[in-house]
């Protein structure tokens, strides 16, 4: 377990405990600790009772068919998640309740009631049909955080066309690869999106991406930046959103989908250079996101819930759109950056909409800590009753800061562990039951069997570290990797037979609480976003000056981890500060800003094993200034000594 951070011993001696207040317990959606045992004794029955709270056109015949590693849930059931997020709420008082409260970066805002959202989703779904979109067609969304993004998702789901959302910060090339992998026929984008006062040229990026995408026939473009748009529309291919929905009927019946029909594909980084298209299906994903919103976020009719993620990542899919709307909740959506126009923007939004539940990433909390507590202090945050975090381990200091400055030292915090692949939260406190401790995601959600095991798959004891695995299927688990079922089996189910390998290291404390330590594979977690070392390396060697490259994640005070690269230039090319900038920019252009290395070190050679494998572990030791680990397998020990010296000199 070379990857385990040295500070873990300090973490495990954390003694602060925060039980929920009696007031919170009394009103909580779940406050009986016996739910864990009951779910454990009959996990199929547990999930079935959640499914029964939702709408099905036809009920399932069986809850689970488990042919490891392939699971099917609610077999034979017919449902539609768009129906459950919209139509189900139209008959009673929720009809005119705010579904989406949207705040644009420039300060514009809009509120969609459930009735409004239903109407717009139907109109757009009819628009898609008029373009020839049919059930099963893959639709790529490359959009800013505007209401049309949620509308487009729900419209795709309504007609059974799986969506593939590509985060707006990705480069044209990344967009192209993702469109081609799933052979998308329609792309939905915008003329731009606002970010820190500037404009992200989404349409121009799309045009560039579409130079190599043979399957795309139509592009729908939302007008967001209007006069500031500097791109153009391509005759016959591109159509404005407002023109497409003009005159469309406000009625579009939701397609009855088989529980196991594909709902969406979401690309995420794995251990190779090529992102994986994680496939989620309809029924199980709906049940998982619905259940976790109700219990983990203790969602109530009157809550105003804000998840600060971008919908381009799984957190936004599950916890801005599907989970909250399936619960009939009010979900806040914000387009821009936390520090624009000022560093109190988040807290201004909380005050403005009287948000009661806030869900964000540790990286955002650490940034706010650095900016200072005067920013939240400017605002009345007394509406807040529950806080959540996701995406990366949270250091106890950031947890305490969040509790004190945002939660007024009185509200529970749920540190939620999960992944793109898991679809919904799997390890988390239940706020009306769990006594939390800063830095620990605490316990598996009821019905989930998570364990920490050693190399051989044997469970480790209290105080021990190992690999985090999941021993039972759960409804919202990924079903496969799009177009690559072998990779699904190999990536998640081959290290231990019939057990899901998460790729994370974890430790168990004396109380049986889980402490997630981060990835044990070649995945870097930058500000809660996954990047594979191979992707960065492929982008670097793509530059004609580069002979060889290795990249690693290095601890970063705010981002959790930052990308560091070690590069060998081709013979005859000189190293320079300018070349460093050129290469950083090259990675940004190839992948997107999140993958841009913080530091690049030029080296004549990279440490390799005798069989030629780059020893990233040693590079990590060098970058972190640690004592070097085992060097006996190195082909040339002098390389690493030289590199260490050079690194220390440059630091
Ligand atoms: O390493 C874990 C980390 O984020 C990874 C999953 O990343 P992604 O698929 O992009 O999904 C992020 C949002 C769900 C995990 O393998 N991670 C996520 N949540 C936590 C976490 N690490 C520690 N604590 C968490 N609460």
């Amino acid at each position: 377990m070379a990857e385990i951070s040295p500070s873990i011993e300090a973490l495990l001696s954390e003694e602060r405990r925060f039980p929920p207040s009696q007031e919170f317990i009394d009103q909580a959606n779940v406050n009986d600790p016996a739910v864990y045992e009951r779910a454990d004794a009959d996990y199929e029955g547990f999930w079935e009772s959640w499914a029964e709270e939702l709408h099905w056109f036809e009920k399932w015949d069986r809850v689970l068919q488990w042919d490891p590693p392939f699971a099917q849930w609610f077999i034979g059931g017919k449902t539609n998640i768009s129906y459950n997020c919209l139509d189900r709420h139209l008959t009673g008082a929720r009809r005119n309740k705010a579904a989406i409260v949207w705040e644009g970066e420039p300060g514009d805002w809009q509120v969609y009631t459930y009735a409004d959202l239903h109407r717009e989703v139907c109109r757009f779904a009819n628009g898609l049909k008029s373009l020839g979109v049919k059930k099963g067609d893959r639709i790529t969304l490359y959009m800013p955080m505007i209401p049309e993004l949620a509308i487009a998702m729900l419209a795709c789901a309504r007609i059974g066309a799986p969506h593939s959302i590509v985060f707006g910060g990705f480069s044209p090339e990344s967009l192209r690869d993702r469109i081609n992998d799933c052979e998308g026929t329609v792309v939905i984008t915008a003329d731009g999106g606002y970010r820190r006062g500037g404009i992200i040229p989404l349409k121009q990026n799309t045009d560039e991406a579409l130079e190599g995408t043979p399957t795309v026939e139509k592009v729908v473009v939302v007008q967001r930046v209007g006069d500031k748009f500097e791109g153009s529309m391509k005759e016959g291919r591109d159509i404005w959103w407002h023109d497409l929905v003009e005159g469309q009927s406000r009625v579009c019946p939701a397609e009855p989908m088989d529980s196991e029909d594909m709902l969406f594909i979401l690309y995420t980084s794995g251990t190779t250079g090529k992102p994986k298209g994680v496939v989620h299906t309809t029924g199980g994903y709906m049940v998982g996101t619905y259940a976790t919103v109700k219990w983990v976020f203790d969602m109530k009719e009157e809550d105003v819930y804000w998840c600060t993620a971008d919908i381009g990542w799984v957190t936004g899919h599950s916890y801005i759109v599907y989970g909250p709307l399936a619960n009939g909740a009010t979900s806040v959506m914000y387009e821009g950056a936390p520090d624009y126009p000022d560093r109190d923007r988040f807290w201004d939004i909380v005050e403005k909409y009287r948000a009661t539940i806030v869900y964000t990433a540790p990286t955002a909390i650490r940034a706010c800590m650095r900016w200072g507590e005067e920013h939240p202090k400017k605002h009345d945050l007394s509406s807040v009753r529950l806080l959540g975090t996701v995406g990366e381990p949270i250091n106890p200091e950031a947890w305490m800061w969040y509790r004190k400055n945002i939660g007024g030292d009185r509200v529970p915090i749920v540190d939620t562990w999960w992944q793109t692949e898991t679809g919904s939260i799997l390890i988390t406190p239940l706020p009306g039951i769990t006594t939390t401790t800063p830095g620990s995601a605490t316990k598996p959600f009821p019905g989930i069997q998570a364990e920490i095991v050693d190399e051989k798959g044997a469970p480790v004891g209290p105080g021990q570290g190992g690999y985090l695995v999941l021993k039972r299927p759960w409804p919202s688990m990924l079903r496969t990797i799009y177009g690559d079922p072998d990779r699904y089996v190999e990536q998640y189910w081959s290290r231990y037979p019939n057990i899901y390998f998460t790729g994370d290291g974890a430790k168990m404390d004396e109380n049986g609480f889980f402490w997630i330590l981060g990835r044990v594979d070649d995945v870097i977690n930058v500000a809660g976003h996954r990047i594979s070392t191979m992707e960065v390396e492929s982008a670097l060697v793509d530059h004609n000056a580069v002979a060889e490259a290795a990249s690693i994640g290095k601890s970063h005070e705010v981002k959790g981890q930052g990308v560091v690269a070690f590069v060998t230039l081709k013979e005859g090319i000189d190293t320079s500060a300018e070349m460093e900038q050129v290469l950083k920019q090259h990675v940004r252009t190839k992948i997107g800003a999140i993958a841009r290395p913080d530091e690049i070190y030029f080296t004549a050679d990279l440490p390799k094993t005798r069989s030629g494998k780059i020893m990233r572990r040693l590079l990590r030791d060098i970058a972190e200034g640690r004592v070097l680990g085992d060097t006996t397998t190195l082909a040339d020990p002098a390389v690493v000594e030289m590199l260490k010296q050079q690194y220390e000199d440059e630091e």
Side-chain angles (χ1 to χ4, degrees):
M1 295 301 303
E3 319 295 331
I4 288 178
S5 120
S7 60
I8 186 61
E9 300 312 330
L11 279 180
L12 290 185
S13 59
E14 172 64 63
E15 281 179 351
R16 287 169 287 197
R17 298 280 181 273
F18 297 93
S21 67
Q22 194 58 46
E23 195 190 343
F24 196 98
I25 296 171
D26 290 343
Q27 61 80 59
N29 285 344
V30 56
N31 54 16
D32 176 6
V35 290
Y36 287 101
E37 273 164 48
R38 282 205 295 271
D40 203 44
D42 175 16
Y43 76 102
E44 290 187 34
F46 171 76
W47 290 116
E48 180 168 37
S49 64
W50 280 109
E52 280 163 356
E53 293 190 17
L54 292 156
H55 170 272
W56 297 76
F57 296 106
E58 276 175 48
K59 201 177 165 176
W60 52 92
D61 313 313
R62 274 174 64 200
V63 175
L64 170 67
Q65 170 79 35
W66 179 223
D67 306 308
F70 298 100
Q72 294 177 67
W73 284 88
F74 311 112
I75 297 142
K78 302 269 187 280
T79 185
N80 187 297
I81 197 168
S82 176
Y83 186 100
N84 274 282
C85 288
L86 301 168
D87 310 46
R88 202 165 75 82
H89 310 306
L90 294 182
T91 45
R94 278 187 193 151
R95 182 179 177 84
N96 295 318
K97 171 179 174 177
I100 291 181
V101 172
W102 173 79
E103 165 103 359
E105 193 187 75
D108 45 344
W109 56 271
Q110 254 175 311
V111 176
Y112 286 78
T113 65
Y114 275 95
D116 293 335
L117 196 59
H118 175 261
R119 181 188 63 242
E120 295 311 316
V121 167
C122 286
R123 291 174 73 215
F124 189 65
N126 284 324
L128 286 177
K129 280 187 186 169
S130 76
L131 295 179
V133 174
K134 298 178 305 302
K135 181 175 171 182
D137 291 348
R138 276 84 54 214
I139 309 296
T140 300
L141 278 53
Y142 181 62
M143 298 174 75
M145 280 287 287
I146 53 177
E148 286 82 354
L149 171 51
I151 293 169
M153 291 166 81
L154 291 162
C156 288
R158 197 163 187 88
I159 61 175
H163 54 72
S164 160
I165 306 185
V166 179
F167 171 59
F170 275 121
S171 66
E173 191 168 326
S174 299
L175 174 61
R176 180 187 303 143
D177 291 346
R178 286 159 175 76
I179 295 172
N180 285 339
D181 187 78
C182 69
E183 299 176 303
T185 51
V186 173
V187 177
I188 306 170
T189 187
D191 56 359
Y194 291 102
R195 186 81 186 170
R196 293 203 171 88
I199 289 176
I200 306 168
L202 294 165
K203 175 64 166 66
Q204 291 96 312
N205 287 352
T206 303
D207 288 343
E208 198 179 324
L210 262 51
E211 278 161 24
T213 54
T215 53
V216 175
E217 290 159 16
K218 294 283 175 199
V219 179
V220 183
V221 188
V222 181
Q223 198 162 44
R224 169 72 184 128
V225 301
D227 295 347
K228 302 189 196 96
F229 177 45
E230 289 175 356
S232 59
M233 297 288 279
K234 187 171 169 185
E235 186 78 39
R237 185 195 70 180
D238 301 350
I239 177 164
W240 288 107
W241 174 294
H242 53 265
D243 289 335
L244 182 67
V245 296
E246 172 86 40
Q248 295 291 350
S249 161
R250 53 199 292 171
V251 180
C252 175
E255 180 78 25
M257 302 290 287
D258 189 90
S259 178
E260 283 300 328
D261 275 340
M262 182 163 45
L263 173 63
F264 66 84
I265 305 167
L266 181 56
Y267 288 86
T268 186
S269 294
T271 48
T272 70
K274 191 173 171 284
K276 306 174 285 199
V278 167
V279 171
H280 282 289
T281 56
T282 305
Y285 175 83
M286 175 173 80
V287 169
T289 52
Y290 170 76
T292 45
V293 163
K294 194 158 175 182
W295 275 12
V296 177
F297 296 121
D298 192 45
M299 192 65 79
K300 300 282 167 38
E301 207 55 66
E302 58 280 9
D303 274 312
V304 176
Y305 159 91
W306 182 27
C307 166
T308 70
D310 190 293
I311 291 176
W313 309 107
V314 75
T315 306
H317 284 60
S318 301
Y319 296 109
I320 296 178
V321 181
Y322 291 121
L325 299 182
N327 275 272
T330 296
S331 184
V332 177
M333 184 175 169
Y334 169 55
E335 178 186 30
D339 55 352
Y340 190 85
D342 218 328
R343 291 175 164 176
D344 66 339
R345 186 63 186 269
F346 270 14
W347 320 123
D348 186 43
I349 292 174
V350 170
E351 180 175 5
K352 180 171 176 186
Y353 298 111
R354 309 302 293 146
T356 58
I357 304 167
V358 179
Y359 189 36
T360 194
T363 194
I365 298 168
R366 288 190 294 261
C368 291
M369 271 173 84
R370 196 187 240 193
W371 297 336
E373 47 185 67
E374 66 269 25
H375 298 292
K377 279 215 167 80
K378 276 185 235 157
H379 297 279
D380 176 4
L381 305 180
S382 60
S383 56
V384 174
R385 68 176 196 91
L386 178 62
L387 295 171
T389 70
V390 60
E392 27 164 354
I394 181 161
N395 44 315
E397 200 194 348
W399 196 100
M400 292 301 295
W401 188 94
Y402 194 37
R403 180 179 155 87
K404 172 168 175 268
N405 293 287
I406 313 304
D409 263 337
R410 62 188 165 82
V411 316
I413 298 182
V414 288
D415 169 0
T416 63
W417 176 90
W418 58 296
Q419 308 178 301
T420 305
E421 292 87 342
T422 71
S424 61
I425 294 168
L426 296 194
I427 302 181
T428 176
L430 291 179
I433 296 178
T434 316
T435 292
T436 54
T437 192
S440 169
T442 74
K443 280 170 67 162
F445 189 81
I448 301 299
Q449 195 182 5
E451 264 181 25
I452 303 171
V453 299
D454 64 17
E455 295 284 349
K456 296 201 182 80
V460 303
Q464 301 290 302
Y467 300 109
L468 179 64
V469 298
L470 301 163
K471 291 197 141 171
R472 261 185 207 151
W474 64 101
S476 65
M477 64 191 268
L478 82 163
R479 298 301 193 264
T480 190
I481 299 296
Y482 191 80
D484 200 351
D486 293 346
R487 196 165 166 205
Y488 166 74
V489 177
E490 199 260 329
Q491 186 86 35
Y492 305 106
W493 303 94
S494 58
R495 187 183 281 241
Y496 307 108
N498 303 343
I499 292 177
Y500 176 90
F501 176 62
T502 63
D504 278 327
K507 266 203 174 188
M508 172 90 55
D509 72 13
E510 302 294 333
N511 304 315
F513 276 14
F514 288 71
W515 296 73
I516 315 293
L517 304 171
R519 305 292 305 194
V520 292
D521 51 12
D522 290 325
V523 172
I524 311 177
N525 189 331
V526 180
H529 303 315
R530 272 159 71 168
I531 299 170
S532 94
T533 51
M534 294 272 287
E535 271 175 277
V536 177
E537 289 160 14
S538 322
L540 284 165
V541 295
D542 171 82
H543 193 280
N544 57 20
V546 176
E548 203 171 32
S551 84
I552 54 152
K554 178 187 174 184
S555 311
H556 186 284
E557 212 189 316
V558 174
K559 296 191 284 187
Q561 284 190 302
V563 179
V564 172
F566 295 83
V567 169
T568 308
L569 294 176
K570 286 187 183 150
E571 283 218 1
I573 298 179
D574 291 333
T575 64
S576 63
E578 198 192 339
M579 179 57 79
E580 187 182 339
Q581 289 311 317
V582 167
L583 294 181
K584 285 180 178 174
Q585 185 54 38
H586 189 69
V587 175
R588 186 191 170 119
T589 311
K590 294 285 291 182
I591 307 175
I594 49 165
R596 184 179 185 272
D598 290 336
E599 303 164 30
I600 292 185
Y601 289 92
F602 294 110
T603 166
D605 229 329
L606 288 166
K608 294 199 191 103
T609 60
R610 281 175 213 111
S611 59
K613 215 171 157 238
I614 295 172
M615 293 181 75
R616 291 200 188 80
R617 175 175 57 79
L618 289 179
L619 293 174
R620 275 194 293 266
D621 289 344
I622 292 171
E624 301 279 6
R626 285 197 291 258
V627 178
L628 292 186
D630 184 7
T631 55
T632 48
T633 52
L634 270 176
D636 178 3
V639 170
V640 75
E641 272 313 316
M642 217 170 58
L643 204 54
K644 191 165 176 257
Q645 194 59 50
Q646 186 190 338
Y647 192 91
E648 283 164 2
D649 291 349
E650 286 183 33
E651 269 283 90

